[in-house]
Amino acid sequence: MAELRLQQGQPQGQEDLSPAMKRFLLILNCILLTIGNCGGPLVMRLYFIHGGKRVWFSSWLETGGCPVILIPLAALYLHRQRQRRSIVRESSERELLETNKFFNMKLPLLVGSAAIGLITGVDDYLYAYGVARLPVSTSSLIIASQLAFTALFAFLLVKQKFTSYSINAIVLLVVGSAVLGINTNSDRPLGVSKSAYYAGFFMTVAAAALYGFLLPAIELMYKKGRQVLTYGLVMEVQLVMCFFATLFCTVGMVVNKDFQAIPREAREYGLGEVNYYLVVVWSAIVWQCFFLGAIGVIFCASSLFSGVVISALLPFTEILAVIIFKEKFQAEKGVALVLSLWGFVSYFYGEIKLSRKMDKKETRNSEGTDLELTQIVA
């Protein structure tokens, strides 16, 4: 047990996982991230298209579904309980309960998660503001620029190393986002003024920049949290972050009187009152998949890899938006899409080359060590 190793004075860090388990968790979190990253913007835009107007409420939904995290946490708690009973048969029930807590997060990690949660609340609002005024295909391509911000802050906060391929990918993504700023006013949704459109554009850029900071900040918090990091602890981090982000957005809803407006908005919703609440519920659930997937990928790999996965999925979100919502697909979006895909291919090609180089280096070192041992024995 990771917490027992910590109590026994072993070094802090990440829980020891087998390669197979780590691969499984990485795939699982990539799936969750795919569901959330592709589904979240579409469901949010569906809310606005058919009569939803509450930006604070929409931002609240991005993290308001955090109580669902209690379900896997409860399952994990019961699993640990059964494990301890099978291992420590002679211990009393009271002792077992004392060593198996439902929440294992300590104060440093709690404070860090709360602070990041409040910043996430700000980012939720910026993003919802942009989605309310931009087509999903446009906002998705703008959000692709978050990889550049993630790379910058990963270098500053967690000393992320770069290759020529990753630098090339970042430049391409930034240029792709800049292309969208040229003449994208032509895809302005009906009822959205020119000033509101550009406000949404710059708010979305700000959301990309802020989330680019949040991913390395989470990785740094993992390293400085003074606890052995387990996947259960990652879920606790998710719960605390989303709770404080939701708390921030709740204050905005109270000030904006959104709670009083929700019943009226539901009655007037274009798809009907029942479908209004279905959209709201599914929005909260799908966004939880996104946040848990994002921080889970950081746990299994790194913040930069999480940022790359998020950016790599954005073209698919754009294509789905064009198909589902019949959004315009101008030449600027085509150029931005090509540059984004080129950037993703460049990054992954560089990672594959680096991985092969490291494997060869490890093989040479291993052969050198074997040769030295052979000479010593001889």
Side-chain angles (χ1 to χ4, degrees), residues 64-86:
C66 59
V68 300
I69 299 297
L70 292 171
I71 298 173
L73 278 175
L76 186 61
Y77 170 79
L78 293 174
H79 175 69
R80 290 198 305 259
Q81 193 80 330
R82 286 194 296 270
Q83 275 190 327
R84 290 175 184 276
R85 281 177 176 157
S86 62

Side-chain angles (χ1 to χ4, degrees), residues 41 43 56 60 83 89 98 126 131 135 137 143 163 182 189 250 285 299 313 322 325 361 368 372:
V43 179
W56 275 112
W60 185 93
Q83 275 190 327
R89 296 288 184 184
E98 285 177 350
L126 294 172
V131 172
S137 54
I143 289 294
T163 65
I182 305 171
T250 300
I285 293 172
F299 168 76
L313 291 170
V322 171
F325 298 136
K361 186 176 179 180
E372 289 178 3

Side-chain angles (χ1 to χ4, degrees), residues 103-169:
F103 291 104
N104 296 291
M105 186 181 294
K106 294 183 179 179
L107 186 60
L109 205 55
L110 177 63
V111 172
S113 300
I116 291 176
L118 292 173
I119 300 172
T120 301
V122 177
D123 191 63
D124 289 345
Y125 179 78
L126 294 172
Y127 181 74
Y129 188 97
V131 172
R133 289 156 177 80
L134 302 177
V136 174
S137 54
T138 301
S139 63
S140 295
L141 283 170
I142 296 171
I143 289 294
S145 66
Q146 64 88 23
L147 180 58
F149 296 107
T150 300
L152 172 63
F153 289 114
F155 173 75
L156 295 174
L157 296 178
V158 294
K159 310 303 180 186
Q160 177 72 47
K161 294 181 180 179
F162 295 98
T163 65
S164 58
Y165 296 98
S166 59
I167 294 171
N168 182 55

Side-chain angles (χ1 to χ4, degrees), residues 24 32 52 56 71 155 191 204 211 226 255 257 292 311:
F24 168 76
L32 290 173
W56 275 112
I71 298 173
F155 173 75
T204 306
Y211 199 70
R226 301 180 186 176
V255 173
K257 298 182 179 179
L292 183 56
S311 297

Side-chain angles (χ1 to χ4, degrees), residues 137-376:
S137 54
T138 301
S139 63
S140 295
L141 283 170
I142 296 171
I143 289 294
S145 66
Q146 64 88 23
L147 180 58
F149 296 107
T150 300
L152 172 63
F153 289 114
F155 173 75
L156 295 174
L157 296 178
V158 294
K159 310 303 180 186
Q160 177 72 47
K161 294 181 180 179
F162 295 98
T163 65
S164 58
Y165 296 98
S166 59
I167 294 171
N168 182 55
I170 292 164
V171 171
L172 289 169
L173 287 165
V174 172
V175 172
S177 298
V179 167
L180 283 176
I182 305 171
N183 200 32
T184 51
N185 186 46
S186 58
D187 74 340
R188 190 171 75 242
L190 292 174
V192 177
S193 67
K194 189 173 181 179
S195 59
Y197 180 91
Y198 282 113
F201 184 92
F202 290 113
M203 290 286 259
T204 306
V205 172
L210 191 56
Y211 199 70
F213 165 77
L214 285 172
L215 291 177
I218 292 170
E219 184 177 358
L220 181 65
M221 179 181 66
Y222 284 167
K223 293 180 177 181
K224 303 293 185 181
R226 301 180 186 176
Q227 282 187 259
V228 172
L229 191 65
T230 65
Y231 192 68
L233 200 57
V234 168
M235 287 191 286
E236 292 180 34
V237 168
Q238 162 80 354
L239 183 62
V240 173
M241 281 172 50
C242 287
F243 173 78
F244 279 92
T246 305
L247 187 64
F248 176 86
C249 294
T250 300
V251 174
M253 287 183 67
V254 170
V255 173
N256 203 44
K257 298 182 179 179
D258 281 7
F259 287 105
Q260 297 92 316
I262 288 172
R264 182 180 69 254
E265 189 173 75
R267 289 192 299 269
E268 298 171 356
Y269 193 61
L271 298 178
E273 187 171 357
V274 173
N275 286 328
Y276 175 87
Y277 288 111
L278 284 176
V279 168
V280 165
V281 171
W282 276 108
S283 181
I285 293 172
V286 170
W287 279 118
Q288 281 305 299
C289 292
F290 170 80
F291 282 107
L292 183 56
I295 68 172
V297 170
I298 295 173
F299 168 76
C300 298
S302 68
S303 58
L304 184 59
F305 184 75
S306 183
V308 167
V309 173
I310 292 170
S311 297
L313 291 170
L314 291 172
F316 296 100
T317 307
E318 178 195 12
I319 293 167
L320 287 171
V322 171
I323 295 171
I324 295 171
F325 298 136
K326 311 299 181 185
E327 295 181 353
K328 296 178 183 178
F329 192 83
Q330 303 98 324
E332 294 88 349
K333 289 183 181 179
V335 172
L337 180 59
V338 170
L339 289 173
S340 296
L341 292 174
W342 184 6
F344 305 144
V345 171
S346 175
Y347 180 86
F348 282 113
Y349 179 73
E351 288 298 301
I352 291 170
K353 286 197 67 175
L354 182 62
S355 177
R356 288 177 179 174
K357 185 178 179 180
M358 294 298 292
D359 289 342
K360 288 180 180 178
K361 186 176 179 180
E362 288 178 4
T363 301
R364 286 198 299 269
N365 290 340
S366 177
E367 290 174 351
T369 303
D370 292 341
L371 180 61
E372 289 178 3
L373 290 172
T374 303
Q375 291 174 346
I376 291 172

